[in-house]
Amino acid sequence: MSEHHITPLKTYLVIAGALFCLTAITVWVSYFDFGSLNIIIAMGVATFKATLVALFFMHLLWDDKKNLTMFIMSLMFLGIFITITLLDTGFRGGVNPEVEYPINKRAAFYDSLPLTDTHGNPVDEHGTDSHEGDEDHH
Amino acid sequence: MAENQKQNYLTHPKGIMSWLLTLDHKRIGLMYLFGGIIFFFLGGVLALGMRLELAAPGNDFMSNETYNNVYTLHGAIMIFLFIIPAIPGALGNMLLPLMLGAKDVAFPRLNLASFYIYTLGALFVVYTIIAGGVDTGWTFYTPYSTTSTSNVIPMTMGIFIIGFSSILTGLNFIATIHKMRIPGLTWYKLPLFVWALYGTSLVQITATPVIAITMVLLILERLLGIGIFDPALGGDPVLYQHFFWFYSHPAVYIMILPAFGIISEIIPVHSRKKIWGYKFIAFSTLSIAFIGFLVWGHHMFTSGQSVFSQIVFSFITYFVGIPTGVKIFSWILTMYKGQVSFTPPMLYALSFLFLFTIGGLTGIFLGAVALDIHLHDTYFVVAHFHYVMQGGTIIAFLGGLHHWWPKTMGAMYNQTVASICCLGVFLGFNGTFFPQFLLGLRGMPRRYATYDPQYAELHNYSSFWSGILGLSIFIAIMNLLWSLRKSNKLDPGTNPWGAMTLEWTHTSSPPHPHNFEEEPVLEHGPYDYDKVIVEPTFKK
């Protein structure tokens, strides 16, 4: 059996401080619009925080590396799930453009949002856009 | 010593509380077996009810609504309450520590907790039945499941809870396999059933949380109207299918891998020959477990997912055939030039080879997108997965039950009756499900209580043989229970089949409460029939 690692209190406090700082950064960046990078920045900061928790608070840094392997494996499965699901949602218009944007664009939920065509472009209310479905929407 | 031999886990300690609060893996295994058999019976009765309804074209026996409830409950009970927990929960619990030379699993209290969590989940399912059932099909597809007025919430809650039992059992088995082996029992000396349980456990702990999340999201959508799957709320119903099958396809391997493990034990023992391709079988288990995570979209070829992902899923699906083929050929080569004896467990194993191969090969039909679009939601699919789940898993489970029954219960059943029942199961099964391939090819859709009269003949045939199948399984289980009667108890001895693994060579039948009277010493590998002669202790 490997020797049990005792982490000094100082390490915990430093990590806790770092987590608070990162939380502040998350809030701060939310005031800026980076367009499509918004989600990447938010998730990046969150992932970094989760990594700190796993490595230091959950002791994965010092533990038997088998535990770290198991942990990384679970992330790998999450990656598989998300990536392959995106192969569906990202390519739905491949053959039939009508299904490119899922039906939820017509949902009641979107009634308050400006009207768009199936490609997400804004549509004039009185419609030069000839897309059939939008007429039902009115 | 003589006094000690009489002491076994069935009789010591005594009293109902000693069972309900037991930490002994063998007793917990038996309790799982008891629970599993009850639900197997219930699921079986529902199946026979459906076949009765389908014997003639009209609504002769039940309404459409009742039929919807019956097939949903049949599927959900058989899968979540019987097939998934039966082999790991019952046979796995019973045998894993014995095969490793251990006193118990790594976490005995967690093991008991798993059983009670399973029981709690089962109670939710029973409540669902009493409250009027659920009519969505066992897959709970949205958007219907978010709008159906039947008892979707208690049913999915039950499945959510049972999932935790499955995760905890998997965790326990992994820790046990890593930590509880006796000295000298290295990875390549483990019985292949242990490898199978290891692969199953990995899938259980990595996939099961996803079904739990899926069920929670479904419940949240129903209760709070959060739009995740329902398009009316801004959700995506196909996303539900991704979530559901990301668990439920690997779950197919949770069901079939332990069955492969059982077959890998039965065939070398009853052929008295070293297993052919030990490492190939062991690693094919792990590769099936992994590839199983990449193919879920083949259940969704008609769901409206992108054509690109259809192609990817179809392509990856064929890879499953490789490790599965490796196993089938290894088992056949194990029997080649062996001393095959046609004992009841071996008859079940041979039935498995035949039926599972049909199930697997028709899976290749369904993995091809173009063909699947024609066959999707027809009886061809019903026949295919019954050939895999029943012809594969349940047949292997029955084989395993007959193989280890003398060890776990200390009694030998009537082998002639058991063999006749096996024949009845084999014929009944083929008679029931083979016509369904033909029905499916001719376009008969699944999940309907009525049908066009042109399908009547094949349905009639299928219903008739389902009766033979049900009766044969019932008599087979009664035959096992009958062997426990004191008046006709046949002593099988410690090792009736002349097997080589530790549970046969180093324990009494039934085993001692602490498994082994002294720590076992490994003398040979699990299948060294070419090096050591082990005489069977039971002669017919």
Side-chain angles (χ1 to χ4, degrees):
Chain A
M1 287 296 284
S2 61
E3 210 176 301
H4 188 68
H5 179 85
I6 297 168
T7 318
L9 184 62
K10 196 179 155 200
T11 313
Y12 284 131
L13 291 175
V14 169
I15 298 300
L19 290 174
F20 278 118
C21 290
L22 287 163
T23 307
I25 291 174
T26 309
V27 176
W28 181 61
V29 295
S30 71
Y31 288 101
F32 302 95
D33 188 8
F34 298 101
S36 60
L37 286 178
N38 278 340
I39 184 91
I40 294 172
I41 293 169
M43 291 305 286
V45 176
T47 307
F48 186 63
K49 281 167 70 179
T51 311
L52 288 180
V53 172
L55 287 180
F56 294 96
F57 288 167
M58 289 164 69
H59 289 220
L60 282 182
L61 188 63
W62 305 287
D63 257 2
D64 192 335
K65 291 294 171 256
K66 259 188 231 138
N67 295 346
L68 187 64
T69 315
M70 281 284 174
F71 188 77
I72 292 173
M73 252 177 66
S74 67
L75 292 179
M76 187 185 77
F77 282 107
L78 183 69
I80 290 172
F81 180 42
I82 293 176
T83 315
I84 303 188
T85 301
L86 287 177
L87 291 185
D88 169 20
T89 52
F91 291 85
R92 279 203 191 153
V95 170
N96 183 0
E98 289 208 341
V99 296
E100 181 163 9
Y101 287 92
I103 30 186
N104 61 15
K105 288 283 174 185
R106 313 253 177 91
F109 173 77
Y110 287 98
D111 275 353
S112 56
L113 301 177
L115 214 54
T116 59
D117 68 5
T118 50
H119 298 277
N121 305 316
V123 176
D124 181 8
E125 280 285 324
H126 302 291
T128 45
D129 189 276
S130 61
H131 186 66
E132 290 166 21
D134 287 338
E135 283 164 26
D136 302 335
H137 193 82
H138 298 295
Chain B
M1 188 71 187
E3 190 56 35
N4 228 351
Q5 270 180 348
K6 275 182 200 158
Q7 223 183 55
N8 68 60
Y9 81 101
L10 291 170
T11 55
H12 183 86
K14 285 190 191 323
I16 182 82
M17 291 316 282
S18 76
W19 279 85
L20 293 178
L21 299 177
T22 184
L23 300 179
D24 183 345
H25 66 97
K26 302 181 287 300
R27 286 188 165 195
I28 295 171
L30 266 194
M31 295 199 294
Y32 266 113
L33 183 66
F34 183 70
I37 296 280
I38 287 177
F39 285 109
F40 184 35
F41 182 75
L42 192 60
V45 169
L46 290 167
L48 291 175
M50 274 189 282
R51 284 312 327 165
L52 196 60
E53 167 56 37
L54 292 166
N59 283 105
D60 319 287
F61 175 61
M62 49 177 92
S63 65
N64 292 335
E65 289 72 27
T66 313
Y67 186 82
N68 291 347
N69 278 299
V70 169
Y71 75 68
T72 302
L73 288 171
H74 166 71
I77 288 174
M78 282 296 195
I79 288 176
F80 294 112
L81 289 169
F82 174 57
I83 301 181
I84 290 182
I87 299 181
L91 292 177
N93 254 321
M94 177 68 75
L95 299 167
L96 178 65
L98 291 170
M99 285 180 162
L100 300 178
K103 265 177 82 172
D104 210 311
V105 290
F107 309 113
R109 281 191 167 74
L110 191 68
N111 201 16
L112 184 65
S114 307
F115 175 73
Y116 281 113
I117 293 170
Y118 164 76
T119 313
L120 181 67
L123 286 176
F124 271 81
V125 176
V126 171
Y127 168 78
T128 311
I129 298 171
I130 296 167
V134 56
D135 64 354
T136 58
W138 75 278
T139 50
F140 309 105
Y141 271 7
T142 56
Y144 182 62
S145 59
T146 51
T147 51
S148 163
T149 50
S150 64
N151 299 288
V152 176
I153 291 179
M155 191 67 182
T156 46
M157 196 66 197
I159 290 165
F160 174 78
I161 294 168
I162 293 166
F164 283 97
S165 159
S166 193
I167 295 169
L168 295 177
T169 302
L171 198 68
N172 214 340
F173 282 5
I174 289 179
T176 308
I177 295 167
H178 273 281
K179 294 288 181 194
M180 309 287 281
R181 288 173 278 139
I182 53 164
L185 189 58
T186 52
W187 283 90
Y188 294 136
K189 285 185 182 162
L190 287 175
L192 285 162
F193 184 60
V194 176
W195 275 94
L197 286 176
Y198 191 74
T200 310
S201 302
L202 283 177
V203 183
Q204 277 175 319
I205 61 167
T206 40
T208 316
V210 181
I211 189 85
I213 294 164
T214 316
M215 294 297 128
V216 169
L217 290 175
L218 186 61
I219 291 170
L220 286 179
E221 184 161 297
R222 275 185 74 99
L223 286 180
L224 307 175
I226 299 171
I228 297 158
F229 306 124
D230 184 354
L233 298 167
D236 182 349
V238 180
L239 184 65
Y240 175 85
Q241 298 188 25
H242 281 294
F243 265 93
F244 182 81
W245 289 112
F246 185 77
Y247 163 75
S248 295
H249 191 76
V252 171
Y253 302 110
I254 296 178
M255 299 182 240
I256 198 70
L257 285 177
F260 289 161
I262 290 174
I263 301 302
S264 301
E265 293 303 316
I266 293 177
I267 287 182
V269 171
H270 298 267
S271 306
R272 314 220 52 75
K273 189 152 161 271
K274 192 181 178 92
I275 191 118
W276 197 89
Y278 176 95
K279 285 186 187 175
F280 275 96
I281 296 183
F283 284 105
S284 63
T285 300
L286 297 186
S287 51
I288 290 174
F290 179 70
I291 299 169
F293 275 96
L294 307 175
V295 299
W296 76 86
H298 66 219
H299 295 268
M300 303 165 51
F301 286 154
T302 62
S303 69
Q305 70 173 336
S306 77
V307 175
F308 182 60
S309 48
Q310 285 181 358
I311 295 166
V312 171
F313 279 126
S314 182
F315 180 71
I316 306 174
T317 298
Y318 290 111
F319 284 96
V320 184
I322 299 169
T324 317
V326 164
K327 281 183 191 291
I328 300 277
F329 287 121
S330 296
W331 293 323
I332 292 171
L333 283 167
T334 305
M335 287 186 287
Y336 179 65
K337 288 190 175 173
Q339 279 178 280
V340 178
S341 50
F342 296 99
T343 55
M346 189 63 178
L347 291 175
Y348 278 107
L350 293 170
S351 305
F352 171 95
L353 285 182
F354 187 80
L355 301 176
F356 179 77
T357 304
I358 295 180
L361 290 175
T362 49
I364 293 183
F365 290 43
L366 294 169
V369 185
L371 201 50
D372 182 76
I373 287 169
H374 174 66
L375 295 171
H376 188 84
D377 266 351
T378 68
Y379 266 73
F380 192 91
V381 178
V382 177
H384 156 70
F385 69 72
H386 279 92
Y387 265 87
V388 176
M389 298 287 87
Q390 190 178 357
T393 309
I394 295 179
I395 295 278
F397 172 74
L398 288 171
L401 209 54
H402 282 84
H403 183 64
W404 282 292
W405 187 264
K407 172 54 63 184
T408 54
M409 306 310 284
M412 182 56 89
Y413 45 84
N414 183 325
Q415 294 199 30
T416 313
V417 175
S419 302
I420 294 169
C421 286
C422 179
L423 184 70
V425 170
F426 182 77
L427 294 177
F429 178 83
N430 281 301
T432 307
F433 292 104
F434 202 81
Q436 298 188 4
F437 281 124
L438 305 176
L439 281 168
L441 281 169
R442 293 178 191 180
M444 169 75 204
R446 64 191 282 206
R447 296 181 167 170
Y448 282 88
T450 58
Y451 51 84
D452 196 84
Q454 60 164 316
Y455 300 120
E457 193 185 344
L458 286 169
H459 266 305
N460 208 315
Y461 193 74
S462 176
S463 291
F464 168 76
W465 283 101
S466 71
I468 307 281
L469 173 62
L471 194 66
S472 304
I473 295 177
F474 184 75
I475 299 174
I477 289 174
M478 284 299 136
N479 181 42
L480 289 175
L481 295 176
W482 191 255
S483 72
L484 300 178
R485 277 165 41 108
K486 275 201 179 125
S487 56
N488 60 355
K489 209 165 182 174
L490 289 171
D491 181 15
T494 55
N495 193 357
W497 316 117
M500 295 227 168
T501 40
L502 290 171
E503 85 274 23
W504 296 107
T505 52
H506 285 73
T507 59
S508 50
S509 306
H512 188 268
H514 298 294
N515 289 357
F516 304 95
E517 282 169 42
E518 51 205 50
E519 185 169 296
V521 179
L522 197 68
E523 289 144 8
H524 47 72
Y527 312 106
D528 285 345
Y529 293 98
D530 51 341
K531 294 182 190 145
V532 191
I533 295 170
V534 179
E535 284 297 328
T537 55
F538 183 82
K539 291 272 187 282
K540 210 172 177 181

